[in-house]
């Protein structure tokens, strides 16, 4: 499922999908080519077909494997994105969820945003992992 989500994001079937905060304001977007952008349209990251995660400078900052595990650039496990939308850290503790409707909630169940129609993995990177930074 994770790989299928990445493939869908890379295909022409997936146009840019907005990531929104709790006030329904766009805070980012995921494009069909795997590029993740900030609200002011600056590229902050990209996930390629091989699961490599690069920042806005194209420097390798992490990778995603076919099981949904997310690693940093030094191959240390950061967390996991499950098919059901649960996002856990390296210690298998719940960080939050992204449900089928795209609602993003923290570990306490509080709504922190939405990623409606956006692929789960880029949304999880945006909301839960600090691999992507906004250029200054």
């Amino acid at each position: 499922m994770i790989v299928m989500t990445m493939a869908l994001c890379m295909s022409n079937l997936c146009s840019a999908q907005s990531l929104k905060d709790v006030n329904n304001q766009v805070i980012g977007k995921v494009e069909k080519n795997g590029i993740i952008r900030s609200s002011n349209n600056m590229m902050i990251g990209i996930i390629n077909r091989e699961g490599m995660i690069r920042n806005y400078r194209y420097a390798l900052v992490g990778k995603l494997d076919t099981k949904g595990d997310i690693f940093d650039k030094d191959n240390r496990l950061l967390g996991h994105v499950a098919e059901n939308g649960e996002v856990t850290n390296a210690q298998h503790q719940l960080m939050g969820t992204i449900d089928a409707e795209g609602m993003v909630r923290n570990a306490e169940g509080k709504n922190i945003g939405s990623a409606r129609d956006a692929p789960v993995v880029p949304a999880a990177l945006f909301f839960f992992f600090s691999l992507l930074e906004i250029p200054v």
Side-chain angles (χ1 to χ4, degrees):
M1 176 72 168
I2 301 292
V3 174
M4 289 175 56
T5 300
M6 276 183 15
L8 178 62
C9 185
M10 303 302 175
S11 76
N12 289 329
L13 299 175
C14 179
S15 59
Q17 302 299 327
S18 295
L19 305 171
K20 297 180 179 180
D21 66 13
V22 294
N23 298 317
N24 209 31
Q25 298 297 309
V26 174
I27 55 175
K29 65 181 178 178
V30 180
E31 295 180 351
K32 66 180 179 180
N33 55 3
I35 292 176
I36 303 168
R37 295 192 180 273
S38 67
S39 62
N40 60 354
N41 211 33
M42 295 182 78
M43 187 189 92
I44 59 173
I46 185 168
I47 303 174
N48 70 16
R49 294 180 189 268
E50 293 78 34
M52 297 295 119
I53 304 164
R54 298 187 178 277
N55 67 12
Y56 67 95
R57 295 182 186 139
Y58 293 97
L60 182 66
V61 294
K63 71 177 183 175
L64 168 72
D65 73 8
T66 57
K67 298 180 292 183
D69 289 334
I70 297 173
F71 298 88
D72 70 10
K73 66 178 174 58
D74 298 317
N75 212 32
R76 290 183 296 238
L77 180 66
L78 295 176
H80 179 82
V81 180
E83 290 184 26
N84 66 1
E86 285 187 354
V87 181
T88 55
N89 64 19
Q91 293 75 36
H92 307 289
Q93 298 164 324
L94 183 67
M95 297 173 75
T97 60
I98 303 172
D99 68 22
E101 289 79 38
M103 296 305 300
V104 183
R105 293 183 175 83
N106 65 15
E108 291 77 36
K110 182 180 177 189
N111 182 11
I112 60 172
S114 69
R116 188 177 185 139
D117 300 321
V120 174
V121 171
L125 286 173
F126 191 90
F127 283 100
F128 297 107
F129 297 99
S130 59
L131 290 177
L132 306 176
E133 60 188 270
I134 298 175
V136 289

